[in-house]
Amino acid sequence: QVQLQESGPGLVKPSQTISLTCTVSGGSITTNYYTWSWIRQPPGKGLEWMGVIAYDGTTYYSPSLKSRTSISRDTSKNQFSLQLNSVTPEDTAVYYCARAVRPGAEYEYWGQGTQVTVSS
């Protein structure tokens, strides 16, 4: 059974960086052709796709967040991470990591989500 678990600070100050890690168990992040995404949901709004890292390490980002977002991985720990820079209160959201079996496929596994609040 594949499980994804987000971790990271729940409170970040404006202008600082949100750093989150998704730890994956029950499957390798390097398995062909899985993709590993970060998705967020601000309060009262819908889901927003932020970016993805593929099984081969290739990354793609939402155009609206690309200038502030970086996704990386640690294959030795079977983890992938999100950094969102220069945050504002509008970045307050529940952040999820999720897996799809191939690019463009529906997400089959999700983490439980982690609340991140941007506030001074």
Side-chain angles (χ1 to χ4, degrees), residues 18 20 37-43 45-51 64-65 68-69 82 84 87-97 110 114 118:
I18 291 173
L20 300 175
S37 291
W38 285 100
I39 299 153
R40 69 180 182 178
Q41 185 168 29
K45 297 184 180 180
L47 294 171
E48 178 184 20
W49 179 79
M50 301 181 69
S64 65
L65 295 171
R68 300 194 291 131
T69 306
L82 169 75
L84 181 66
V87 299
T88 73
E90 285 66 43
D91 293 308
T92 294
V94 178
Y95 286 75
Y96 299 92
C97 54
W110 292 73
T114 187
V118 180

Side-chain angles (χ1 to χ4, degrees), residues 16-88:
Q16 294 187 344
T17 297
I18 291 173
S19 296
L20 300 175
T21 296
C22 183
T23 300
V24 179
S25 59
S28 173
I29 62 173
T30 62
T31 300
N32 295 354
Y33 297 96
Y34 293 155
T35 64
W36 307 88
S37 291
W38 285 100
I39 299 153
R40 69 180 182 178
Q41 185 168 29
K45 297 184 180 180
L47 294 171
E48 178 184 20
W49 179 79
M50 301 181 69
V52 62
I53 186 164
Y55 67 99
D56 61 356
T58 305
T59 54
Y60 300 94
Y61 301 105
S62 166
S64 65
L65 295 171
K66 185 176 182 178
S67 64
R68 300 194 291 131
T69 306
S70 178
I71 297 175
S72 59
R73 66 179 185 173
D74 185 336
T75 57
S76 68
K77 296 180 180 179
N78 215 38
Q79 295 174 333
F80 64 105
S81 298
L82 169 75
Q83 285 200 316
L84 181 66
N85 302 320
S86 304
V87 299
T88 73

